[in-house]
Amino acid sequence: MERIVNLCKRRGFIFPSAEIYGGFRSTYDYGPLGVNMLRNVKDAWWRSMVQMRDDVVGIDAAILSPSQIWEASGHLATFTDPLVDCRNCHERWRADKIAGVCPNCGSADLTEPRAFHLMFKTHAGPVEEDSSVAYLRPETAQGMFVNFLNVLQTTRKKPPFGIAQVGRSFRNEITPQNFVFRTREFEQMEMEYFVPPADAQKWFEYWLEERMNWYLGLGIPADKLHLRHHEQSELSHYSRGTADVEFLFPWGWDELEGIANRGDFDLSAHAKASGEKLDYFDPATNERYVPHVIEPAAGATRAMMAFLLAAYHEDLVEGESRTVLRLDWRLAPYQVAVLPLSKKPELEDVSREVLGILQPHFMCDYDVTQSIGRRYRRQDEVGTPYCVTVDFDSLEDRAVTVRDRDTTEQVRVPIADLVSELRRRTGEG
Ligand code: ATP
């Protein structure tokens, strides 16, 4: 874990926020490599959940939202965590995450738990009065429920169909911790899948399998991923069944994603509160019903952390140890690095030409500093699957050397075939 945190800082994946002012606790900024990787995680999700399907469409709803939404959803009444104070050292903790003793000083002298509200509250407009109260959304899901009718009418979808959204959410977590695993500002990838009530269980099971396969397909090893079904007593007020996709983090199994069968709770609650009919009329059967909802709710920032942890390896290459991120090429911050063997101007020209050929197809890095061996190590460390080296022979034979991150094998490839060769290797064409 410490090595990942160091690597993230040192190589520009993730920086502590507001660092020049001493930092802002548990808030992070994504650097040049991190922003690429986080974007790749979200794109991979969007591709699998929206692009590759004809039954799911996307939206991007507002983050700032009025209290009516959170009143109807139940968040205003119940979105709290139990807060305890340590009477000895005065630290505050989430009671359900500690075993009755203060993790800071070990004292068991804790206050009774009290409900602490997790939503960030603000005011919209110049006057701070009750009617101007607004909230930063603590989840993206409600945006899909309140737009159910808009989407239904504009897309002519019918159940089973889904609405997907990726975006920032905010929770005033009592104890943010474990790097970007739990932060107050984070990104979610959520989908609400609306189904005929009788089919809800079938679709719940379908999405459990789909979502497990998404992580496995992007390189999380099977022995570090499992599903944990919630006990009846753990279920949220709306849930008829929930299972978490869990990853084996350095501190043990913990949640990556929750998949819930929410029944008709959300649409019924918003219909009641808004006075709008949030249901579906099926012309085939002449029936009107409130669809049930299956929700796979994942964290993008948390998933990125799991992909980094799973990819991190230290191995030996020709007797020398190296750090390598064995990231799936779709998630790697750079897919290709173009490395001129030397800084000589004649190599620069052809190297820039190669870079120009690759850039429309792949996210590329261009690095001319230090020895070629050092540059390979630097690319291995950030997970770049392919290095393309331009040498003096390239001027004569119009070919370059392609080096594979995982096997370190090198092959000579004509510049004219480079894009198709890299596409073939990455499995796209
Ligand atoms: P917990 O019980 O751990 O506080 P939760 O079960 O309330 O979390 P959900 O509401 O199901 O979490 O959120 C869906 C997903 O959003 C989570 O699986 C996680 O990946 C992500 N997520 C939730 N809270 C945070 C957070 N504070 N920081 C980062 N990611 C988060």
Side-chain angles (χ1 to χ4, degrees):
M1 177 78 173
E2 214 171 282
R3 289 180 190 177
I4 292 284
V5 176
N6 284 338
L7 176 74
C8 283
K9 169 84 205 294
R10 191 161 44 77
R11 297 304 310 276
F13 281 85
I14 300 174
F15 306 124
S17 192
E19 212 179 3
I20 60 168
Y21 293 104
F24 184 45
R25 198 180 157 216
S26 295
T27 309
Y28 294 93
D29 297 341
Y30 288 72
L33 272 65
V35 71
N36 283 355
M37 182 170 173
L38 184 58
R39 203 176 253 256
N40 291 342
V41 170
K42 294 184 286 185
D43 284 351
W45 186 89
W46 196 262
R47 183 179 163 83
S48 134
M49 300 297 274
V50 182
Q51 184 178 340
M52 299 299 286
R53 308 184 63 98
D54 64 1
D55 57 348
V56 179
V57 292
I59 61 163
D60 190 4
I63 288 172
L64 208 53
S65 37
S67 23
Q68 289 99 312
I69 290 184
W70 309 107
E71 175 92 56
S73 69
H75 280 79
L76 275 180
T78 61
F79 199 59
T80 58
D81 276 339
L83 171 72
V84 291
D85 296 60
C86 171
R87 288 201 181 90
N88 183 43
C89 73
H90 307 292
E91 280 286 332
R92 298 202 158 105
W93 303 101
R94 201 172 131 178
D96 59 329
K97 296 282 178 189
I98 59 172
V101 289
C102 172
N104 185 41
C105 71
S107 165
D109 190 7
L110 306 174
T111 59
E112 282 300 305
R114 59 189 187 280
F116 175 77
H117 213 280
L118 296 177
M119 279 200 291
F120 281 99
K121 189 176 181 179
T122 185
H123 289 270
V127 189
E128 289 197 11
E129 57 189 16
D130 283 353
S131 64
S132 70
V133 167
Y135 294 90
L136 300 190
R137 67 181 177 197
E139 61 173 34
T140 62
Q142 298 307 320
M144 277 81 99
F145 299 127
V146 300
N147 279 293
F148 172 76
L149 272 192
N150 284 336
V151 173
L152 197 65
Q153 284 160 2
T154 51
T155 64
R156 309 198 143 265
K157 295 279 172 208
K158 53 183 194 216
F161 82 100
I163 311 179
Q165 181 171 204
V166 173
R168 297 233 169 191
S169 294
F170 301 81
R171 296 181 189 179
N172 198 3
E173 299 278 0
I174 298 167
T175 41
Q177 60 194 166
N178 292 328
F179 196 36
V180 296
F181 178 82
R182 187 184 303 287
T183 48
R184 296 197 171 110
E185 175 176 351
F186 54 98
E187 287 207 68
Q188 289 189 307
M189 310 183 288
E190 298 193 292
M191 199 269 289
E192 310 303 322
Y193 199 70
F194 301 94
V195 302
D199 299 341
Q201 184 60 24
K202 181 185 88 183
W203 284 112
F204 176 57
E205 282 157 26
Y206 168 88
W207 283 110
L208 294 182
E209 197 181 328
E210 280 291 299
R211 296 304 306 144
M212 283 291 284
N213 287 339
W214 184 77
Y215 293 99
L216 295 169
L218 286 168
I220 302 280
D223 60 353
K224 290 205 164 148
L225 197 74
H226 71 200
L227 267 181
R228 188 181 68 81
H229 287 267
H230 283 206
E231 304 289 333
Q232 202 66 30
S233 60
E234 267 183 278
L235 294 181
S236 333
H237 58 288
Y238 53 75
S239 180
R240 297 174 178 215
T242 298
D244 291 343
V245 176
E246 291 192 332
F247 174 72
L248 189 53
F249 284 94
W251 58 91
W253 290 100
D254 218 332
E255 175 179 334
L256 274 184
E257 165 161 357
I259 300 156
N261 175 354
R262 301 174 68 111
D264 66 358
F265 174 82
D266 308 276
L267 288 180
S268 297
H270 285 297
K272 189 162 166 229
S274 68
E276 294 281 343
K277 252 195 200 151
L278 304 182
D279 56 16
Y280 175 72
F281 176 73
D282 186 347
T285 60
N286 261 344
E287 268 177 329
R288 184 173 282 285
Y289 64 87
V290 179
H292 283 201
V293 170
I294 310 303
E295 175 193 79
T301 38
R302 198 179 274 189
M304 172 169 157
M305 183 175 165
F307 286 123
L308 281 170
L309 285 163
Y312 187 93
H313 288 87
E314 289 171 4
D315 64 9
L316 281 180
V317 173
E318 289 157 12
E320 253 187 69
S321 75
R322 69 161 180 170
T323 299
V324 55
L325 286 186
R326 296 192 196 280
L327 287 171
D328 186 285
W329 67 274
R330 290 165 291 184
L331 302 180
Y334 296 117
Q335 274 107 45
V336 187
V338 177
L339 312 175
L341 193 63
S342 95
K343 281 185 186 154
K344 294 253 164 63
E346 57 269 40
L347 280 195
E348 167 112 27
D349 286 349
V350 65
S351 301
R352 293 224 166 259
E353 183 196 337
V354 169
L355 181 67
I357 291 171
L358 293 172
Q359 272 173 328
H361 307 277
F362 304 101
M363 186 62 83
C364 298
D365 191 15
Y366 184 80
D367 187 6
V368 287
T369 56
Q370 298 184 321
S371 75
I372 193 72
R374 291 285 290 274
R375 280 182 275 163
Y376 284 152
R377 297 287 173 278
R378 283 175 59 80
Q379 296 297 334
D380 290 344
E381 195 183 41
V382 300
T384 310
Y386 298 103
C387 288
V388 169
T389 307
V390 182
D391 56 25
F392 290 99
D393 289 343
S394 306
L395 301 173
E396 307 300 322
D397 65 0
R398 300 284 300 162
V400 290
T401 302
V402 172
R403 174 189 180 270
D404 181 296
R405 173 195 72 200
D406 296 336
T407 62
T408 71
E409 249 169 41
Q410 306 190 9
V411 292
R412 200 77 184 159
V413 178
I415 293 172
D417 300 344
L418 197 51
V419 169
S420 57
E421 172 60 18
L422 290 170
R423 281 249 173 270
R424 191 185 62 74
R425 285 169 175 252
T426 52
E428 266 213 349

